[in-house]
Amino acid sequence: NNYKVAFNYTVEGKYSIKDDFAPGAFKVEESNAAMSMLEIVIQAFERDFAQYLKPGKKVMVNITGTADALPIRGVIGYDGCYGEFVEEPYYVNKELSNLSVTKHAGIKENTQLAFMRAIGVRRYIERSMVQLDAMNTEYNCYVEVSDKAGSQYRRINIEFIFIDAFN
């Protein structure tokens, strides 16, 4: 039997502008709300869900990065902090696609921006949840771009699926 644990968040409207990702921001540390959620994730797996973190067991980590409809004018600089991505696979509308983000080219589209938010979360989880290193961990990045503008559409969601968790 598989066991699914999902984490997401909402921010009250008047706080959304300062707590969600700012326009063009993608580093996980740039979102107070995302960082708060990630701290809860880490604590939950240190306590309540620690029993599912078993060496060799399979876990799928599905991370969804979102972006709003605000167009990117020009290029958002990328310093390579999460690595360089060339033809990197990701899912959009449940369909597999690919994209590239490099220091040289930067970020020009909202799909890239949403992808970088998801990658930032992946890197944070990889650094903070070292227990996953001993597991058979599969990461999947999903991208959603809203047709509406606003900070409430610039968020991340995380889902952990433990395969055969109870065996």
Side-chain angles (χ1 to χ4, degrees), residues 55-128:
K57 290 296 259 179
K58 182 165 178 74
V59 61
M60 293 172 56
V61 183
N62 298 327
I63 304 166
T64 304
T66 66
D68 68 351
L70 199 63
I72 296 174
R73 306 218 188 283
V75 177
I76 297 169
Y78 175 57
D79 62 6
C81 60
Y82 299 135
E84 297 220 349
F85 304 92
V86 177
E87 302 296 316
E88 187 72 19
Y90 75 99
Y91 292 90
V92 60
N93 300 325
K94 298 186 180 179
E95 296 210 8
L96 189 59
S97 190
N98 61 59
L99 58 68
S100 298
V101 178
T102 63
K103 288 190 282 189
H104 176 73
I107 299 168
K108 299 174 187 165
E109 299 173 4
N110 282 329
T111 52
Q112 292 172 306
L113 193 56
F115 176 80
M116 294 311 292
R117 289 175 180 149
I119 287 295
V121 169
R122 175 180 173 166
R123 297 294 187 253
Y124 186 88
I125 290 170
E126 287 172 332
R127 280 193 317 270
S128 303

Side-chain angles (χ1 to χ4, degrees), residues 28 38 41-42 61 63 81-83 85 88 118-134 137-141 158 160:
V28 70
L38 286 168
V41 169
I42 302 304
V61 183
I63 304 166
C81 60
Y82 299 135
F85 304 92
E88 187 72 19
I119 287 295
V121 169
R122 175 180 173 166
R123 297 294 187 253
Y124 186 88
I125 290 170
E126 287 172 332
R127 280 193 317 270
S128 303
M129 295 180 64
V130 294
Q131 312 93 311
L132 292 177
D133 292 348
T137 306
E138 177 186 320
Y139 289 93
N140 296 298
C141 288
I158 310 167
F160 295 85

Side-chain angles (χ1 to χ4, degrees), residues 11-48:
V11 178
E12 194 175 325
K14 64 183 177 182
Y15 300 110
S16 182
I17 289 184
K18 79 174 185 60
D19 284 331
D20 283 320
F21 287 99
F26 59 87
K27 294 181 180 175
V28 70
E29 300 82 9
E30 296 173 339
S31 167
N32 293 332
M35 287 303 297
S36 293
M37 184 187 73
L38 286 168
E39 288 173 23
I40 290 168
V41 169
I42 302 304
Q43 290 173 7
F45 279 101
E46 286 174 351
R47 290 182 241 161
D48 304 326

